[in-house]
Every structure is written in C-alpha cells, then in structure tokens.
Amino acid sequence: MASTTITAGELDDALHQVLDDGIIEDSRKKKNWPEPVWYQVVARGGDGALQGGVAAKFQFDITFLDTIWVDERFRGKGIGRRLMEGFETRGRELGAKIAWLDTMSWQARPFYEKLGYRVFAELPYLAGARAQYFLRKDL
C-alpha cells in the first residue's frame, strides 16, 4: 500500500473547488441531490447606483441568505427590509418553505427577529464573548 502524507497550509482555491465538487457529486449519487439555484435581489437608486443587495441560494425546499449588504448611506430607510422581502418572495417562487440565515452577535440579529426569524442554534466563540446565530422562518 502506498504511503499517505497529510499536510496543512493556506487554502488553495482550485483544491477547494475539487473538494466541493467531490462532495456534491457523491451526494448526488446517493441522494439525488439537486443543483442549487443562486439568485440575487438588488436595490438601486434612481441614478442606477447600487444601494444594497442580497445573494441567496435555493435548494430542496429551503432558501438560504448567503449575503445581505446595504450601503451605509442608505441604512435605516427600509431598504434592508425590502431586500429581505424580495429574498423571501423569490424563495417562495422557487418553492421554498423555509428561509434561513446566520448572523454574528455584533451584526443584525434584532433586525432579522423583527422580520419574524427565530434562532434555532447558537455557536459561542471567544470564550462566550461573541456568538454566531442561526435563524429560520417558515415561508
């Protein structure tokens, strides 16, 4: 039997893609794993300038909020709420029954809770000084 060497180092993007492709292919063979559908929801001003946006993924009957960002100049004006509504609406159109996301303790948990999201898991770190929260909402 040939010897195996285990090494650790900086992440190589090409290798990362090989690993992702391998696990996805394996999952598809075993469980008929569907391709994810990535989508975006974007807010632009009258001049066409980007004010904020969402990048999200739909798979199975779940939509996942990967990224949401609102330009600091436009925060507090309802754009984030409207982006979230667009995220949920597009998710429903694709067949989602559940929306989920994660946020850090220093980010926007109260914002998401005001929109009806509920924490289903918490991952503390830095000896409990901070936490990552996982939230979901039935659509």
Side-chain angles (χ1 to χ4, degrees), residues 70-89:
V70 176
D71 185 301
E72 192 173 338
R73 297 171 295 165
F74 302 103
R75 293 179 189 164
K77 300 178 190 282
I79 292 172
R81 177 187 48 76
R82 291 171 54 203
L83 288 168
M84 290 298 294
E85 289 169 355
F87 156 70
E88 293 171 7
T89 297

Side-chain angles (χ1 to χ4, degrees), residues 12-133:
D12 175 292
D13 289 336
L15 176 59
H16 188 200
Q17 188 63 55
V18 169
L19 299 174
D20 278 350
D21 291 347
I23 192 70
I24 289 168
E25 181 63 26
D26 188 55
S27 295
R28 282 198 185 111
K29 286 179 190 173
K30 293 178 181 171
K31 298 292 181 186
N32 196 24
W33 193 276
E35 282 286 334
V37 176
W38 285 91
Y39 64 96
Q40 65 186 27
V41 181
V42 177
R44 295 188 182 276
D47 61 355
L50 182 66
Q51 295 178 345
V54 162
K57 174 175 75 169
F58 167 78
Q59 195 170 30
F60 304 106
D61 62 351
I62 299 170
T63 191
F64 169 68
L65 180 74
D66 183 72
T67 305
I68 182 171
W69 172 80
V70 176
D71 185 301
E72 192 173 338
R73 297 171 295 165
F74 302 103
R75 293 179 189 164
K77 300 178 190 282
I79 292 172
R81 177 187 48 76
R82 291 171 54 203
L83 288 168
M84 290 298 294
E85 289 169 355
F87 156 70
E88 293 171 7
T89 297
R90 183 63 183 138
R92 278 189 207 93
E93 290 170 356
L94 292 166
K97 305 293 185 228
I98 298 168
W100 81 277
L101 57 92
D102 65 287
T103 191
M104 307 306 273
S105 54
W106 45 271
Q107 290 178 319
R109 178 181 168 186
F111 167 72
Y112 299 121
E113 290 177 326
K114 281 177 23 180
L115 297 175
Y117 286 80
R118 298 291 169 251
V119 173
F120 68 86
E122 176 182 343
L123 180 63
Y125 63 98
L126 291 176
R130 298 261 197 274
Q132 182 175 9
Y133 297 102

